[in-house]
Amino acid sequence: MLSPETLDSYCRMTPGERLRLTLQLTEKAQRGLGQGTSELVARRGTLLLKQNSERTERILAGLRRIQGPNERS
């Protein structure tokens, strides 16, 4: 969870500043993901895919819960 100060400073950023920050953090994370043995890198990739799939499923489950019975397709 982010502190109120961090959230406040983030809200005061322009969209361009937020994008720049996001890209910087993503670049740092990507460098770390590719370091280590090939087995370690593969395990990290597998874990990320699993986490992303679980996150996507939680989002979809939440959307299904908020939809009315007539809205589901």
Side-chain angles (χ1 to χ4, degrees):
M1 184 93 171
L2 297 174
S3 71
E5 295 83 15
T6 301
L7 287 173
D8 185 51
S9 67
Y10 188 77
C11 287
R12 283 186 272 117
M13 289 180 179
T14 65
E17 290 170 329
R18 287 193 295 271
L19 176 61
R20 192 173 312 112
L21 177 63
T22 301
L23 293 175
Q24 288 171 351
L25 295 172
T26 301
E27 184 181 331
K28 282 183 186 179
Q30 283 181 330
R31 275 189 254 136
L33 288 173
Q35 294 178 346
T37 64
S38 59
E39 293 84 13
L40 182 59
V41 171
R43 278 198 316 249
R44 284 184 189 133
T46 301
L47 178 60
L48 278 174
L49 288 173
K50 181 178 181 269
Q51 290 171 337
N52 286 344
S53 294
E54 290 170 352
R55 187 178 309 109
T56 299
E57 185 51 42
R58 286 193 307 270
I59 290 169
L60 292 173
L63 290 172
R64 285 190 295 268
R65 277 194 306 272
I66 64 173
Q67 285 182 337
N70 295 330
E71 296 177 274
R72 293 186 180 165
S73 52

